[in-house]
């Protein structure tokens, strides 16, 4: 699954507020408890925006404002008002006229990215059944075999962090598009936790090993680092990034972002690229 924008926010959004019924909201259904008694289930949906996606074929589903929308490569976007919302056996259901979404709280691994999400999602339309993942991103316990691009350093946002690095080199030494100011540093972490990448000007190898559960160990810098002269903004970014990277002592995640923490209390924020 490929992401074109920051993705996946989850929670509970009330489709029917207390004392009021929004357009398209249904009365709560009932479900049977283990004792055989019926218990009301509130017609609730995700807070803000809930998204789910799947592969083969690629599809995207959004739940927000009492409506359900679906996009697939083989047809126009479908947007429908949710008519029924209920829960049965640990699965939340959202039904529209010709679409039904089933959200089960069960860990789901995206088979393209390897990312894990809290929900397994099944989407049924009049012509097909689609399966994928949704809900919150489950924080990784390891960063091995991942690739990242910097979006902010010490609170300073980088516009170039919105661009994917050059596809011919996972950690390019050169600026592929000077007009776009594509100077964002990159971070590649191999299968043993060792790093390489670009500081926005020169390539670097080594210096840190990322361990599990937020741990980081300093190691010698490798001999493959380049020594190109860079000017202006490119040089400024490189000179800011390198000292911060060298002082990284730990890592954590914030939604879909990786946050590197330094000994001086500063941070580097990165988004994952594939």
């Amino acid at each position: 699954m490929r992401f074109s924008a920051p993705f996946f926010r989850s929670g509970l959004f009330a489709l029917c507020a207390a004392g009021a019924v929004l357009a398209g909201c249904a009365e709560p259904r009932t479900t049977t408890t283990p004792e055989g008694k019926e218990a009301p289930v509130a017609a609730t949906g995700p807070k803000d925006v809930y998204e789910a996606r799947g592969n083969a074929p690629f599809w995207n589903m959004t739940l927000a404002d009492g409506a359900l929308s679906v996009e697939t490569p083989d047809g126009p976007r479908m947007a429908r008002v949710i008519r029924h919302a209920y829960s049965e056996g640990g699965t939340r259901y959202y039904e529209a006229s010709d679409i039904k979404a089933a959200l089960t709280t069960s860990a789901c691994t995206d088979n393209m990215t390897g990312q894990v999400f809290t929900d397994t999602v099944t989407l049924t339309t009049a012509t097909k059944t689609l399966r994928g993942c949704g809900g919150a991103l489950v924080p990784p316990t390891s960063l091995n075999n991942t690739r990242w691009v910097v979006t902010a350093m010490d609170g300073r946002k980088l516009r170039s962090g919105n661009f994917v690095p050059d596809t011919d080199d996972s950690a390019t030494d050169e600026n592929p598009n000077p007009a776009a100011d594509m100077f964002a540093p990159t971070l590649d972490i191999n299968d043993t936790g060792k790093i390489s990448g670009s500081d926005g000007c020169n390539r670097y190898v080594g210096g840190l090993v990322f361990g599990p559960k937020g741990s980081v160990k300093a190691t010698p810098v490798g001999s493959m680092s380049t020594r190109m002269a860079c000017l202006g903004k490119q040089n400024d970014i490189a000179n800011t990034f390198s000292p911060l990277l060298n002082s990284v002592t730990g890592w954590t995640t914030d939604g879909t972002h990786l946050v590197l923490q330094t000994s001086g209390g500063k941070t580097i924020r990165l988004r994952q690229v594939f």
Side-chain angles (χ1 to χ4, degrees), residues 32-39:
T32 303
T33 66
E35 293 78 15
K37 298 179 180 179
E38 289 188 341

Side-chain angles (χ1 to χ4, degrees), residues 1-243:
M1 177 164 57
R2 190 172 295 272
F3 301 94
S4 59
F7 50 91
F8 293 98
R9 294 166 290 173
S10 66
L12 291 178
F13 176 83
L15 297 180
C16 296
V21 179
L22 300 179
C25 255
E27 289 297 319
R29 288 192 178 184
T30 59
T31 186
T32 303
T33 66
E35 293 78 15
K37 298 179 180 179
E38 289 188 341
V41 178
T44 58
K47 180 182 180 180
D48 296 330
V49 176
Y50 179 102
E51 291 188 81
R53 291 184 171 92
N55 310 305
F58 293 114
W59 60 270
N60 171 276
M61 181 196 78
T62 302
L63 283 168
D65 296 328
L68 185 157
S69 65
V70 178
E71 293 181 87
T72 62
D74 56 355
R77 176 175 174 270
M78 303 171 64
R80 304 288 188 270
V81 171
I82 296 173
R83 294 183 172 181
H84 300 290
Y86 60 100
S87 176
E88 288 182 356
T91 298
R92 292 102 68 203
Y93 295 94
Y94 301 93
E95 296 182 353
S97 57
D98 55 355
I99 308 173
K100 182 177 182 179
L103 285 54
T104 303
T105 304
S106 175
C108 178
T109 302
D110 179 73
N111 58 16
M112 182 173 289
T113 68
Q115 291 179 313
V116 181
F117 298 88
T118 55
D119 296 339
T120 297
V121 178
T122 301
L123 188 66
T124 305
T125 70
T127 59
K128 65 186 69 177
T129 297
L130 302 169
R131 293 179 174 84
C133 302
L137 180 67
V138 177
T141 58
S142 170
L143 297 178
N144 291 4
N145 291 314
T146 58
R147 175 188 173 206
W148 307 82
V149 62
V150 174
T151 60
M153 299 185 295
D154 189 26
R156 172 188 173 188
K157 294 183 179 180
L158 299 183
R159 186 173 69 89
S160 48
N162 293 320
F163 296 94
V164 176
D166 184 77
T167 55
D168 295 326
D169 184 353
S170 63
T172 183
D173 297 331
E174 299 180 1
N175 176 19
N177 186 356
D181 292 338
M182 291 181 67
F183 308 128
T186 62
L187 174 70
D188 288 5
I189 305 172
N190 70 12
D191 58 359
T192 64
K194 295 180 180 179
I195 68 170
S196 62
S198 169
D199 64 7
C201 174
N202 285 288
R203 183 177 177 84
Y204 64 87
V205 176
L208 297 173
V209 175
F210 285 83
K213 300 180 180 179
S215 63
V216 176
K217 179 182 178 181
T219 62
V221 176
S223 59
M224 292 179 62
S225 300
T226 56
R227 300 288 182 181
M228 296 189 301
C230 300
L231 301 174
K233 183 177 180 180
Q234 192 173 7
N235 186 62
D236 178 46
I237 288 175
N239 287 338
T240 301
F241 174 75
S242 294

